[in-house]
Amino acid sequence: MLKLVGYPDRYSVAPGEPIAFQISLEEGDRFDARVVRVVNGDFNPDGPGLDLPHYPSAVDGTYAGTPKRADAGSYLTVSDFPSLAEHAAFTFRATIWPTLLKRAGQTLFAQWEAATRSGVMLLVDDTGLTLVLGDGAGKIARETLPLPLLERKWYDVTVAVDRAQGRFRLGVEALRKDFGVADSGCREGALPLPLGAATGLMLAGAPEPGGTVGAHFNGKIEAPTFMDGDRIIAAWNFSEGIRSVQVTDTGPSHRHGRLVNLPARGMKGAHWTGEYHSWQAAPAQYGAVHFHEDDLYDAGWAADVVWSVPEDTKSGAYALHLTCGETDAEAMREVYIPFFIRPPRAASARTNCPKVAFLAPTCSYIAYANHGEHITVRGVERIMGRLLHFGHQDVYLYDHPELCHSLYDKHADGSGVCYSSRLRPNINCAPRYHSWLGGDGSSLYQYNADTHLFGWLAHHDIDYDIITDEDLHRDGYELLKDYRVILTGSHPEYHSTPMWDAMKTWLDRGGRLMYMGGNGWYWRIAFHDELPGVIEVRRAEDGIRSWEAEPGEYYHSFTGEYGGLWRRCGRPPNMMAGIGFVAQGFDVSSYYRRAPDADNPRAAFIFEGVEEEIIGDFGLIGGGAAGIELDCINPLLGSPPNILRLASSEDHSPLMLLVNEEFTATLPNLGGDQNERVRADLTFAETPAGGAIFSTGSIAWIGALPCQGYENNISRITLNTLRRFMDARPFV
Amino acid sequence: MRYRIDPETDRPFIDEFRKNPVGNHSPGLMRVLNAMRYQPDGPQIVLFCRKPFAEWQIAHMPADRRDPLIFEDSPIFTDRNEAEWEVFRRRWEAATGERLNLPLKESE
């Protein structure tokens, strides 16, 4: 299987800056590294073939390597919490909502020294509530309140330890009484051991030998409090500072804590009334944090390779190529870790930059990072229309769940994954990766699908820069303003508000947008105030989604913005690109048929040299240019009145299905074989400031560019458009 | 699920599948495949690609992700559609008790 994995500390680096790579070597003790350009990451024999030329650099060489592991699981840590053994008596109280009770020994709190097994822990699982005591001299005692709790039900839990009296009391009180369910009760007894000393405190996790943290709690915790009689030792209010990873102790000692690995904040608590849906409107009702054993923000590996990018390095797609021997059918001993070199940060240094830029959809790459629905969801073969495809990378992902999830996955407890970070190996974002989700044929999706465009641009000798979503989020309109043309990737699905605003401002001031894919500008995301490289989504209301946010949890914890579809925020994709998402299917692709607007003189430049009525009846992604996810015109959603429908796709398979936000009552004819609305529209429209929009409406479009040596009608249409878009002459 | 594969009425779809294992299928074949692809007990058959565009083998994904993948020793398929046909044959037999002793391609 895969013997090397790694990740960069950033996806976008400017000339003159360093970029670091963190590597886990699974076999042997040394690996070779070199920098390559990424021109084509697809080795489909029906296409042009892998094209990853060496880019000689100072980083090329041999390095020592070791295996590394991520320590997944979220928790709260309070480093300056004094020893509970110093108190004659203490009580811990919290309200909890457990979600995966079959996991044994989940920590509610731990003041524990792993090496000496000293301290105290409170655990919960399907046996009930357990108090663990360690005297630090080798003895451990467990006292259990054998009371089976129910998952996704709120409970007050209490443990009182009275060292002076030598007694303990464990209590559970269900906040809702259910007939026939005995899930409230208490148990008292003599303290079986003296309490060993330990300092610091964790909630939802416990220190383990070797320095890791384990025994994670799955579920929500609200209002955890430690008391010594009537005196507050600490009382954390999770409804304060929801945008932060800092946690406030409202007690007199200010023992503030820090959340590690991003448990979900902005979560409704036990007393959510349904009257308010935003944590900003009623913070007291959002005092819960949802912890998961499979949360991960930063793998935290040490840097193995650092490259200081020379000042004169050209903007583009690059990768660090790592090898540790010969790849064969049993083991893959090479990996490519992609990154982008952006143009210089200083605007004054960008005066000679090209007029064309590719906007690398890095937010979408992060959203899909380690996408594992083929592993965790049953029945996916039905959607794909073929056996689920596992490559070496997928097997590695299966064997390493600690690398955690994409925004499409559910946690082990069934709750949706709303945060995804790039500070961990992103197994499916790489040249050579064949996605289980990609269309039949090359089976590329997201990053590697976009390399088809890099190959096409190189073939036609187009000079361009690459900027990334994160660059756009941070730099805004200023980053776009000097570009005449922006090319998107095949699936630019996720956009933050600053990204959306910057792109719309640029368009409104005369920019020329070439939307080279499908299902773009779909989900709203948020970036974190304090932590780099992590995004949040809330799968609110509707849309094609693999999980649903809980009612009342539709607002981003990172920003407070309403989450979900941009369409539900008054900004349908049609307002940006002229077209919007209408159907998806992952089996095979189809073709476009030329529409009457193709003969409109306004569009003559697009079809110059293209006489065929059928276009794109070929492609490396599903065998056609129209496939995977499709967009079409809809004036009701903001498609401009002057938009030209140049061509539309047809003859889609029954697995190309109308998306659920496009119907209200359930329809009997959702598939592309029976539904006339299932189609991609190829469109063009001028904008008032002299700019224009060209939209393909299909994720598979880019996959048709390389066919027949990059010389075909899809390629010709795209090139005609790009050359006219590069021309300074205004459209209106 | 209401629909159950009927070895008599569904017989024409065997040939449709053989001719085109992955593609735009008729409603009848879709119904058969949707029934076949439902594994209520949790395990899933998947296709492991040993060498891109060259070698595949059938593997089994357990119901519990914490259990390891199981790789079948043989055969190694050099045509992915052969693997699709092999799985179709197994599922047809499981649903009907009838063994399909046909190759994917007539010439073989």
Side-chain angles (χ1 to χ4, degrees):
Chain A
M1 300 307 153
L2 191 56
K3 301 301 180 189
L4 282 158
V5 295
Y7 60 97
D9 66 348
R10 63 201 68 195
Y11 281 180
S12 172
V13 60
E17 295 178 349
I19 181 169
F21 301 88
Q22 291 66 231
I23 314 298
S24 177
L25 178 66
E26 309 284 319
E27 181 184 85
D29 57 8
R30 302 191 79 73
F31 63 88
D32 293 321
R34 61 180 195 149
V35 175
V36 298
R37 296 289 307 254
V38 178
V39 181
N40 182 26
D42 181 11
F43 45 80
N44 187 342
D46 293 335
L50 275 182
D51 192 358
L52 303 162
H54 184 206
Y55 185 81
S57 78
V59 85
D60 294 2
T62 301
Y63 297 82
T66 57
K68 293 171 184 160
R69 293 287 179 273
D71 191 13
S74 57
Y75 58 96
L76 171 70
T77 178
V78 186
S79 57
D80 64 345
F81 200 84
S83 175
L84 289 165
E86 295 174 4
H87 293 268
F90 71 86
T91 302
F92 170 79
R93 182 175 292 117
T95 306
I96 68 167
W97 193 70
T99 51
L100 192 62
L101 287 165
K102 66 183 177 185
R103 293 284 197 270
Q106 299 176 64
T107 309
L108 291 176
F109 83 81
Q111 186 173 63
W112 191 254
E113 192 175 293
T116 58
R117 302 202 295 178
S118 181
V120 56
M121 293 192 281
L122 181 64
L123 310 178
V124 67
D125 56 28
D126 56 9
T127 64
L129 204 62
T130 298
L131 175 66
V132 180
L133 300 170
D135 68 357
K139 289 183 181 171
I140 289 184
R142 295 172 174 270
E143 299 290 345
T144 297
L145 168 61
L147 196 67
L149 308 184
L150 296 180
E151 290 180 352
R152 297 178 182 269
K153 182 175 176 179
W154 285 104
Y155 297 93
D156 281 336
V157 296
T158 311
V159 57
V161 172
D162 190 330
R163 295 173 58 237
Q165 299 293 322
R167 306 284 296 172
F168 76 89
R169 181 181 185 278
L170 288 165
V172 172
E173 184 72 27
L175 270 58
R176 185 191 72 228
K177 308 300 180 193
D178 292 307
F179 178 75
V181 177
D183 54 358
S184 296
C186 67
R187 187 189 149 211
E188 295 185 60
L191 268 185
L193 281 180
L195 193 64
T199 56
L201 187 85
M202 285 183 185
L203 264 61
E208 294 196 329
T212 59
V213 177
H216 293 281
F217 175 64
N218 289 279
K220 292 180 179 178
I221 299 178
E222 183 173 18
T225 305
F226 280 94
M227 304 287 289
D228 179 349
D230 293 334
R231 192 169 63 83
I232 296 173
I233 301 173
W236 295 282
N237 182 354
F238 293 159
S239 69
E240 286 189 24
I242 283 174
R243 293 173 68 144
S244 172
V245 294
Q246 306 303 321
V247 168
T248 304
D249 170 18
T250 59
S253 301
H254 304 300
R255 294 184 173 113
H256 306 311
R258 181 172 58 87
L259 294 166
V260 178
N261 276 335
L262 282 171
R265 299 198 75 172
M267 295 280 111
K268 61 191 181 189
H271 302 292
W272 184 66
T273 64
E275 187 179 1
Y276 299 99
H277 288 252
S278 161
W279 54 264
Q280 294 173 114
Q285 297 187 23
Y286 287 87
V289 171
H290 195 148
F291 297 90
H292 308 90
E293 65 182 35
D294 48 359
D295 282 320
L296 181 66
Y297 163 58
D298 185 351
W301 298 353
D304 294 276
V305 179
V306 179
W307 185 34
S308 292
V309 179
E311 292 280 1
D312 60 349
T313 311
K314 183 169 170 42
S315 176
Y318 293 77
L320 189 70
H321 180 210
L322 308 174
T323 56
C324 61
E326 288 297 314
T327 288
D328 58 31
E330 305 303 325
M332 189 170 164
R333 296 187 179 87
E334 68 175 329
V335 70
Y336 292 85
I337 302 175
F339 61 97
F340 298 102
I341 296 181
R342 53 159 289 166
R345 291 196 189 278
S348 58
R350 297 202 298 260
T351 50
N352 292 322
C353 284
K355 292 298 177 189
V356 178
F358 171 71
L359 176 63
T362 48
C363 288
S364 297
Y365 300 162
I366 296 170
Y368 282 92
N370 298 339
H371 187 191
E373 279 182 271
H374 57 324
I375 294 170
T376 58
V377 178
R378 293 300 180 257
V380 179
E381 186 187 341
R382 279 177 171 169
I383 298 169
M384 300 307 298
R386 59 194 189 277
L387 287 168
L388 288 172
H389 178 286
F390 275 52
H392 289 267
Q393 298 95 332
D394 299 282
V395 174
Y396 188 91
L397 191 59
Y398 186 93
D399 290 339
H400 292 273
E402 77 277 6
L403 296 181
C404 292
H405 308 295
S406 74
L407 294 180
Y408 288 83
D409 300 308
K410 292 179 182 176
H411 290 287
D413 70 357
S415 59
V417 175
C418 62
Y419 307 139
S420 180
S421 113
R422 57 170 168 71
L423 293 171
R424 56 186 172 132
N426 185 351
I427 298 294
N428 52 342
C429 179
R432 287 182 59 116
Y433 178 69
H434 281 193
S435 173
W436 61 274
L437 197 57
D440 190 40
S442 287
S443 295
L444 307 192
Y445 201 73
Q446 282 289 356
Y447 174 85
N448 211 16
D450 292 343
T451 70
H452 282 151
L453 182 63
F454 304 156
W456 178 82
L457 287 162
H459 176 82
H460 291 292
D461 201 23
I462 303 294
D463 193 18
Y464 66 103
D465 279 347
I466 293 187
I467 57 175
T468 70
D469 282 349
E470 275 189 84
D471 295 322
L472 183 58
H473 174 82
R474 186 166 57 184
D475 296 354
Y477 167 74
E478 286 300 308
L479 184 60
L480 299 180
K481 68 182 178 58
D482 293 326
Y483 293 109
R484 198 166 287 146
V485 187
I486 299 291
L487 292 158
T488 75
S490 57
H491 190 15
E493 186 178 5
Y494 291 81
H495 297 262
S496 68
T497 305
M499 287 164 57
W500 203 100
D501 289 345
M503 182 61 75
K504 192 69 167 70
T505 300
W506 173 81
L507 261 179
D508 289 346
R509 296 184 184 183
R512 288 99 185 262
L513 175 64
M514 292 185 68
Y515 171 35
M516 299 294 292
N519 189 16
W521 290 277
Y522 192 60
W523 293 104
R524 182 184 223 177
I525 54 158
F527 281 86
H528 199 274
D529 293 337
E530 301 165 351
L531 305 177
V534 61
I535 59 173
E536 176 178 20
V537 75
R538 295 290 170 125
R539 307 276 187 205
E541 290 196 61
D542 64 4
I544 288 287
R545 61 213 194 283
S546 49
W547 55 269
E548 293 174 288
E550 288 272 336
E553 295 177 355
Y554 292 175
Y555 285 79
H556 294 139
S557 64
F558 287 2
T559 58
E561 293 175 316
Y562 186 68
L565 298 184
W566 273 114
R567 173 174 171 160
R568 300 288 172 226
C569 303
R571 304 184 190 190
N574 312 60
M575 290 174 63
M576 184 72 77
I579 56 178
F581 191 31
V582 71
Q584 77 170 24
F586 300 94
D587 55 343
V588 290
S589 304
S590 193
Y591 58 87
Y592 294 77
R593 184 181 295 277
R594 191 178 168 114
D597 284 350
D599 297 326
N600 188 306
R602 288 161 51 204
F605 70 95
I606 297 174
F607 281 89
E608 194 176 316
V610 178
E611 304 298 329
E612 303 94 302
E613 183 176 353
I614 301 297
I615 60 170
D617 53 343
F618 48 83
L620 299 177
I621 303 296
I628 307 291
E629 297 182 7
L630 311 179
D631 295 1
C632 72
I633 295 169
N634 188 342
L636 299 178
L637 293 175
S639 297
N642 65 325
I643 196 165
L644 297 179
R645 185 172 66 86
L646 308 172
S648 292
S649 67
E650 60 187 32
D651 199 26
H652 288 285
S653 95
L655 287 177
M656 179 60 78
L657 296 156
L658 197 69
V659 295
N660 56 3
E661 66 269 27
E662 282 295 316
F663 57 88
T664 47
T666 312
L667 303 174
N669 61 329
L670 295 173
D673 57 332
Q674 299 183 42
N675 192 300
E676 62 286 346
R677 296 178 60 206
V678 172
R679 68 175 200 276
D681 286 337
L682 181 70
T683 62
F684 168 75
E686 304 90 341
T687 61
I693 304 166
F694 169 82
S695 294
T696 66
S698 159
I699 285 180
W701 179 278
I702 282 177
L705 293 174
C707 294
Q708 298 138 45
Y710 295 106
E711 303 295 336
N712 60 67
N713 51 30
I714 293 293
S715 173
R716 183 68 185 259
I717 285 169
T718 309
L719 189 62
N720 287 343
T721 305
L722 177 55
R723 287 195 167 140
R724 173 62 185 92
F725 275 33
M726 291 167 69
D727 188 329
R729 286 177 297 139
F731 280 92
V732 290
Chain B
M1 190 166 64
R2 179 170 172 266
Y3 186 72
R4 290 181 187 279
I5 294 169
D6 183 320
E8 297 312 314
T9 58
D10 288 328
R11 189 164 303 281
F13 304 123
I14 298 171
D15 228 33
E16 183 188 343
F17 184 85
R18 284 175 69 213
K19 288 174 182 165
N20 187 23
V22 178
N24 198 337
H25 293 147
S26 70
L29 178 55
M30 287 302 306
R31 188 177 58 189
V32 169
L33 291 172
N34 281 332
M36 282 183 167
R37 289 167 174 163
Y38 178 58
Q39 293 178 256
D41 49 349
Q44 300 273 291
I45 295 177
V46 301
L47 196 57
F48 170 55
C49 180
R50 291 159 51 90
K51 292 176 69 174
F53 298 97
E55 290 184 7
W56 295 264
Q57 70 191 90
I58 291 171
H60 300 262
M61 185 165 57
D64 189 333
R65 194 250 172 98
R66 291 173 295 176
D67 296 330
L69 291 167
I70 300 162
F71 298 88
E72 291 193 2
D73 289 338
S74 62
I76 304 297
F77 298 96
T78 55
D79 176 348
R80 202 201 55 185
N81 284 340
E82 294 280 3
E84 292 281 354
W85 172 238
E86 170 61 20
V87 173
F88 185 97
R89 289 172 65 246
R90 293 182 191 186
R91 288 169 169 170
W92 182 272
E93 185 174 0
T96 67
E98 184 178 276
R99 186 168 296 187
L100 298 175
N101 289 320
L102 292 165
L104 177 66
K105 294 167 186 166
E106 292 292 355
S107 57
E108 295 179 6

